[in-house]
Amino acid sequence: LEQEQFDPLQTLLNEFPPKQLALMLEAMPPAERKQLWELIPETLSAETLTFLHDEVRNSLIAEMPAEALAAAAEQMEVIDLAYIMEDLPAPVRQTLEESLPDDILEHLENTLSFEEGSAGRLMSTDVISVRSDVSLGVVKRYLHLHEDLPDYTDGLMVADRDGIYQGKLLLNRVLTGDDEDLVQDVMNSQHKPILATASEHDIALFFEQSHFVSTAVVDENNRLLGRISLDYVIAILKAEADHALLGRAGLDEEADLFAPVLNSARRRTVWLAINLVTAFLAAWVIGLYADTLEKIVALAVLMPIVASMGGIAGSQTLTLTIRGLALDQISSGNKAWLARKEVLIGIINGLLWALVVSGVAWLWFRDSGISLVIGAAIVVNLVAAAAAGIAIPLILQRLRIDPALSGAVILTTVTDVVGFMSFLGLATQFLV
Amino acid sequence: LEQEQFDPLQTLLNEFPPKQLALMLEAMPPAERKQLWELIPETLSAETLTFLHDEVRNSLIAEMPAEALAAAAEQMEVIDLAYIMEDLPAPVRQTLEESLPDDILEHLENTLSFEEGSAGRLMSTDVISVRSDVSLGVVKRYLHLHEDLPDYTDGLMVADRDGIYQGKLLLNRVLTGDDEDLVQDVMNSQHKPILATASEHDIALFFEQSHFVSTAVVDENNRLLGRISLDYVIAILKAEADHALLGRAGLDEEADLFAPVLNSARRRTVWLAINLVTAFLAAWVIGLYADTLEKIVALAVLMPIVASMGGIAGSQTLTLTIRGLALDQISSGNKAWLARKEVLIGIINGLLWALVVSGVAWLWFRDSGISLVIGAAIVVNLVAAAAAGIAIPLILQRLRIDPALSGAVILTTVTDVVGFMSFLGLATQFLV
């Protein structure tokens, strides 16, 4: 990009929605990203920052002058500002806090007093509340004074003199009710609020089970603190799906496709290390049968098949079990039934694939001993895989470890060890 | 369950929300499930059916008497009924259609004329629309005639005499505006509608990018057909995450943790067959080096480590690439940059882990030749894994195959083949 091109480009950038700008920035190598960032008009930079992934945002903030950062911070919603603040280095954070107006700072500190990811941290304090003893006519006149209502406002919160939440007055009811009706008679007192300490997962569950567009957030004394709306649930669900996708490959949300090479390499190392341990464990098992392998080299050729079939069958059971746990479908009442069923599938599929693999092995090596042994080993490994696919997530859940993240590594370890051990062990017993 | 316990149990079941009943039914072995189903009060059975997964629902419907099914169908929303009808065997479907009242049948046929998963199929026709030339006072009096408005109504659709969509009148604006204001002056004409042919993915994208709670659905002539609300987006996102989770293990949404054993075994067979082909391919590669393995048995012991490290590293690159594609972050402009970066990470991690694995191999076998060969093979395989992790999803996307579903199998095939070939090939070259 050359200097003289800047002006028309800036005019063009002015037309982009900040979310789009954030996507473009993320899709750029670091050097080009920095160049583009410097061209983004100040009026858009605050909102653009809030849409960026953590790592990208932090790399841009690190190079922003203090005044530019303060200007952006003042334009942000406090929820977003709180989220960003926590990642900043202490000195930058302090300079920024000193430059913020008192009212924003107070609001910020209030927000930061709630745990990250809780309803208190996510809620908007932009709430219109009314008393229960006024009439709808009064409410209508009051609303008429507003230019517009906040996004996702489907109702007004009803609270008493002390700010205690009493229910929700749906906009629907304001429109369909009579002017002389009292709020307390038409408000929905079954409209339960959510606690400020509720987790993201609880918030998502709450909205899924209700038909609300927004709900009140209260403290432990039922005092109205703010409101949270359905759009957060979408953000939470997307973040959970992203977390699950990345977690299975030992990555986290910080992983940036465009991060500097060394950062990326370091991040991926831990997962490789864990998997190296399980690979060496499998190698050690094979090493126990080195004498057998020396005598019958066909075993070395065929052994990955036994391990791999076990891994695939086991991961099917594992996936269904993890999903069943997430959907709350697995209870102590049906655990045993399920385990029996999965083991039975393991036996059926084991017998079927034992036949196929034995057949191919026989065509290849014309050795009925090897054929029988690989068939038997496949049955053993598929049954073990089914049992492990049920047992591992149940045990991990009891230990309060997320089975979606670590279940697969443990399962592969089991199916590798059982696969190599059964195949080479049976061969040692019967063929040598 | 004994006969005399039925009555109090039925009273209890009456208290359960249908969604909860559906979860309970799904979490039961088939025999108990059938027993519980027969106890569920008729008033709840229609809604409960709509919450069940396909396989469970179909198994229950198969045993319902025709009249019970017709009674349930009449109580369902037409959207749900349309979805269920398509799965029914033709004779059952015909009997059911004959028993439905004409108005429901017409509505149903109309819904079925849209493709499954399209906005036309998902939309609700429960829409309140107003003309643009009336005043807010008239709108208020009109709304006042309603007892209540449909769930997720954040506004009224504005359409002309011919039913052509013109914009949306937000309830907010009805409340904050003056009685004499005309609808056309306060309606939001930027509130874009969605086409009836839009896919689920487009619907989700539309709501994410707007701040709407509901939106109009129109035909290609911009005629108002119905509306669709934000809660569907949540359902769509959850279904997409479920699809991705199951797809990676070669399963689909029909997979029922509690399905009959034979059904389950059959469903999982295809995936095992595909993976067996890749396992035999790897075995064939090993077979090429049988002579070498016969001479140096340590190679058989160590070879799974090379393949496994490549698989893990490759799946990290694959995951990030698939995610980058889904987030639209990868373009022809940065593909080359990304590929270079990932290969560089492959080289760095390859060198690091080559050192570790070589060291352990040396401690184990005290053979510097084997140590050097395994180190070199790990570098080769990690670089190949990185290149494959980038290339496979890009190629699959161009072929219009979902990389999230088949990417991992293809990657494993590459890392197994390259892993065994580089390790055993180098050993054959330099150690024998």
Side-chain angles (χ1 to χ4, degrees):
Chain A
L1 298 170
E2 287 172 34
Q3 198 65 37
E4 59 221 82
Q5 294 182 321
F6 278 12
D7 266 359
L9 191 56
Q10 261 184 318
T11 323
L12 189 71
L13 287 174
N14 245 321
E15 304 292 311
F16 275 81
K19 200 169 187 171
Q20 198 62 41
L21 289 175
L23 278 175
M24 283 166 56
L25 285 167
E26 286 182 347
M28 285 181 158
E32 283 87 338
R33 181 187 289 162
K34 217 188 125 201
Q35 281 190 307
L36 176 63
W37 176 243
E38 282 164 8
L39 291 175
I40 290 178
E42 263 188 38
T43 48
L44 296 178
S45 60
E47 216 181 327
T48 305
L49 277 178
T50 65
F51 283 117
L52 287 169
H53 276 108
D54 293 6
E55 175 156 6
V56 178
R57 184 178 50 239
N58 292 341
S59 73
L60 294 177
I61 285 182
E63 307 206 17
M64 278 172 82
E67 316 85 66
L69 185 56
E74 272 189 57
Q75 281 176 49
M76 282 181 196
E77 291 205 35
V78 170
I79 306 175
D80 297 323
L81 183 57
Y83 182 78
I84 290 172
M85 289 284 276
E86 288 206 317
D87 270 354
L88 295 179
V92 180
R93 191 173 159 163
Q94 210 181 333
T95 321
L96 186 55
E97 276 175 4
E98 280 161 12
S99 72
L100 286 174
D102 284 350
D103 58 329
I104 295 185
L105 192 61
E106 194 191 323
H107 189 168
L108 178 69
E109 279 166 0
N110 199 7
T111 301
L112 283 169
S113 69
F114 296 101
E115 220 174 309
E116 192 172 330
S118 67
R121 182 69 79 85
L122 294 171
M123 73 189 177
S124 150
T125 49
D126 195 6
V127 188
I128 304 179
S129 72
V130 293
R131 295 278 178 75
S132 63
D133 53 3
V134 301
S135 70
L136 289 190
V138 172
V139 172
K140 283 181 191 172
R141 282 195 295 281
Y142 173 63
L143 286 176
H144 191 238
L145 298 175
H146 289 74
E147 259 299 286
D148 203 355
L149 303 181
D151 275 341
Y152 302 107
T153 297
D154 62 331
L156 311 178
M157 304 305 168
V158 184
D160 70 10
R161 221 168 271 274
D162 301 318
I164 303 298
Y165 176 79
Q166 296 180 300
K168 191 160 148 197
L169 176 65
L170 292 169
L171 294 188
N172 283 355
R173 302 309 302 265
V174 178
L175 286 162
T176 57
D178 295 321
D179 279 4
E180 52 276 17
D181 288 344
L182 289 183
V183 168
Q184 61 202 19
D185 297 325
V186 293
M187 76 176 186
N188 189 333
S189 47
Q190 264 92 56
H191 234 153
K192 286 205 207 89
I194 200 163
L195 271 173
T197 49
S199 70
E200 291 192 346
H201 189 77
D202 293 338
I203 298 170
L205 220 61
F206 179 93
F207 276 99
E208 274 172 51
Q209 286 167 357
S210 67
H211 283 246
F212 305 168
V213 171
S214 73
T215 195
V217 180
V218 297
D219 67 12
E220 67 278 14
N221 299 319
N222 218 26
R223 189 186 309 271
L224 181 63
L225 299 176
R227 71 181 189 109
I228 204 159
S229 52
L230 191 55
D231 56 323
Y232 274 105
V233 178
I234 292 179
I236 292 170
L237 288 176
K238 286 182 79 87
E240 282 182 353
D242 201 33
H243 181 71
L245 172 73
L246 293 170
R248 260 184 296 269
L251 300 164
D252 62 27
E253 292 80 353
E254 308 281 308
D256 170 12
L257 197 50
F258 300 89
V261 170
L262 278 176
N263 281 7
S264 299
R266 189 160 33 76
R267 286 237 167 89
R268 301 188 197 175
T269 286
V270 180
W271 195 244
L272 283 163
I274 293 171
N275 280 279
L276 185 59
V277 173
T278 88
F280 266 115
L281 194 64
W284 173 75
V285 170
I286 299 171
L288 297 178
Y289 304 99
D291 293 347
T292 309
L293 285 170
E294 209 151 24
K295 286 176 200 134
I296 315 170
V297 75
L299 298 178
V301 174
L302 293 172
M303 67 187 185
I305 295 173
V306 181
S308 144
M309 291 294 279
I312 296 297
S315 80
Q316 294 187 319
T317 304
L318 183 81
T319 301
L320 285 174
T321 309
I322 290 173
R323 180 175 179 246
L325 286 172
L327 296 175
D328 251 340
Q329 291 184 342
I330 297 179
S331 61
S332 53
N334 57 24
K335 254 186 257 180
W337 184 89
L338 262 185
R340 241 190 346 260
K341 184 203 149 194
E342 286 295 321
V343 169
L344 206 57
I345 296 177
I347 294 173
I348 293 173
N349 271 336
L351 289 172
L352 173 69
W353 293 107
L355 219 64
V356 175
V357 175
S358 291
V360 178
W362 191 82
L363 289 176
W364 194 348
F365 294 101
R366 305 278 163 173
D367 179 324
S368 54
I370 290 178
S371 276
L372 284 173
V373 163
I374 199 169
I378 283 199
V379 176
V380 170
N381 205 22
L382 260 64
V383 172
I390 286 270
I392 291 169
L394 291 175
I395 293 170
L396 287 176
Q397 206 192 33
R398 177 153 301 186
L399 300 175
R400 294 169 189 282
I401 299 171
D402 182 1
L405 302 189
S406 44
V409 194
I410 303 176
L411 179 89
T412 309
T413 311
V414 172
T415 53
D416 276 2
V417 167
V418 173
F420 291 133
M421 207 173 251
S422 60
F423 182 48
L424 299 177
L426 286 170
T428 306
Q429 199 68 33
F430 296 108
L431 305 183
V432 189
Chain B
L1 298 170
E2 287 174 31
Q3 198 63 42
E4 59 221 81
Q5 295 181 320
F6 278 12
D7 268 358
L9 191 56
Q10 261 184 318
T11 323
L12 189 70
L13 286 173
N14 246 318
E15 306 291 313
F16 275 83
K19 198 168 189 175
Q20 197 62 39
L21 288 175
L23 277 176
M24 283 166 57
L25 285 166
E26 287 182 347
M28 284 182 158
E32 283 88 339
R33 181 187 289 164
K34 217 189 126 202
Q35 280 190 307
L36 176 63
W37 176 241
E38 282 163 7
L39 291 175
I40 289 179
E42 264 187 36
T43 48
L44 295 179
S45 60
E47 216 181 327
T48 305
L49 278 179
T50 65
F51 284 117
L52 287 170
H53 275 109
D54 294 6
E55 175 155 7
V56 178
R57 183 178 51 238
N58 293 340
S59 74
L60 294 177
I61 286 182
E63 307 206 15
M64 278 172 82
E67 316 85 67
L69 185 57
E74 274 189 54
Q75 282 176 51
M76 281 181 199
E77 291 203 35
V78 170
I79 306 175
D80 297 323
L81 183 56
Y83 183 79
I84 290 173
M85 291 283 276
E86 289 206 316
D87 268 353
L88 295 179
V92 180
R93 191 173 159 164
Q94 209 182 333
T95 322
L96 187 55
E97 276 175 3
E98 281 160 13
S99 73
L100 285 175
D102 284 349
D103 57 330
I104 295 185
L105 193 61
E106 194 192 324
H107 188 168
L108 178 69
E109 279 166 358
N110 199 8
T111 301
L112 283 170
S113 69
F114 296 102
E115 219 174 310
E116 192 173 329
S118 67
R121 184 67 82 84
L122 294 171
M123 73 187 177
S124 150
T125 49
D126 196 5
V127 187
I128 304 179
S129 71
V130 294
R131 296 278 178 73
S132 62
D133 53 3
V134 301
S135 69
L136 290 191
V138 171
V139 172
K140 283 180 190 171
R141 282 195 294 281
Y142 172 63
L143 288 175
H144 191 238
L145 299 173
H146 289 74
E147 259 299 284
D148 204 356
L149 303 181
D151 275 340
Y152 302 107
T153 298
D154 61 330
L156 311 178
M157 303 306 168
V158 185
D160 70 10
R161 221 167 271 275
D162 302 319
I164 303 298
Y165 176 80
Q166 298 181 298
K168 193 162 147 195
L169 176 63
L170 294 169
L171 294 189
N172 283 355
R173 301 310 301 266
V174 177
L175 286 162
T176 57
D178 294 323
D179 279 4
E180 53 275 16
D181 290 344
L182 289 183
V183 168
Q184 61 203 18
D185 297 324
V186 293
M187 75 178 187
N188 189 332
S189 47
Q190 263 91 56
H191 234 155
K192 286 205 207 89
I194 201 163
L195 271 173
T197 49
S199 70
E200 291 193 345
H201 189 78
D202 293 337
I203 299 170
L205 220 61
F206 179 93
F207 276 99
E208 274 172 52
Q209 285 167 358
S210 67
H211 283 246
F212 305 167
V213 171
S214 72
T215 195
V217 180
V218 297
D219 67 13
E220 67 280 14
N221 299 318
N222 217 27
R223 189 186 308 273
L224 181 64
L225 300 176
R227 69 179 190 111
I228 204 158
S229 52
L230 192 55
D231 55 325
Y232 274 105
V233 178
I234 292 179
I236 292 170
L237 287 176
K238 285 182 80 86
E240 281 183 354
D242 202 33
H243 182 72
L245 172 73
L246 292 170
R248 258 182 296 268
L251 301 163
D252 63 27
E253 292 80 353
E254 308 280 306
D256 170 13
L257 197 50
F258 301 89
V261 170
L262 278 177
N263 282 6
S264 299
R266 189 162 33 76
R267 286 237 166 89
R268 302 190 198 174
T269 285
V270 181
W271 195 243
L272 283 163
I274 293 172
N275 280 279
L276 186 58
V277 173
T278 87
F280 266 115
L281 194 64
W284 173 74
V285 171
I286 300 171
L288 298 178
Y289 304 98
D291 294 346
T292 309
L293 284 169
E294 210 152 24
K295 286 177 201 135
I296 314 171
V297 76
L299 298 177
V301 174
L302 293 172
M303 68 186 183
I305 294 173
V306 180
S308 145
M309 290 295 278
I312 296 296
S315 80
Q316 293 187 319
T317 304
L318 182 81
T319 302
L320 285 174
T321 309
I322 291 173
R323 181 175 179 247
L325 286 172
L327 295 176
D328 252 341
Q329 292 184 341
I330 297 179
S331 62
S332 53
N334 57 25
K335 254 188 259 180
W337 185 89
L338 261 185
R340 240 190 345 261
K341 182 202 151 193
E342 286 296 320
V343 168
L344 206 56
I345 296 177
I347 294 173
I348 293 173
N349 271 336
L351 289 171
L352 173 70
W353 292 107
L355 218 66
V356 174
V357 174
S358 290
V360 177
W362 192 82
L363 290 176
W364 194 348
F365 295 100
R366 304 277 163 173
D367 180 321
S368 53
I370 291 179
S371 276
L372 284 173
V373 163
I374 199 169
I378 283 199
V379 175
V380 170
N381 205 22
L382 260 64
V383 171
I390 286 271
I392 292 169
L394 291 176
I395 293 169
L396 287 176
Q397 207 192 32
R398 177 154 299 189
L399 301 174
R400 294 171 187 281
I401 300 171
D402 182 1
L405 301 189
S406 44
V409 194
I410 303 177
L411 179 88
T412 309
T413 310
V414 172
T415 52
D416 276 3
V417 168
V418 174
F420 292 133
M421 208 172 251
S422 60
F423 183 48
L424 299 177
L426 286 170
T428 306
Q429 199 69 33
F430 298 108
L431 304 183
V432 190

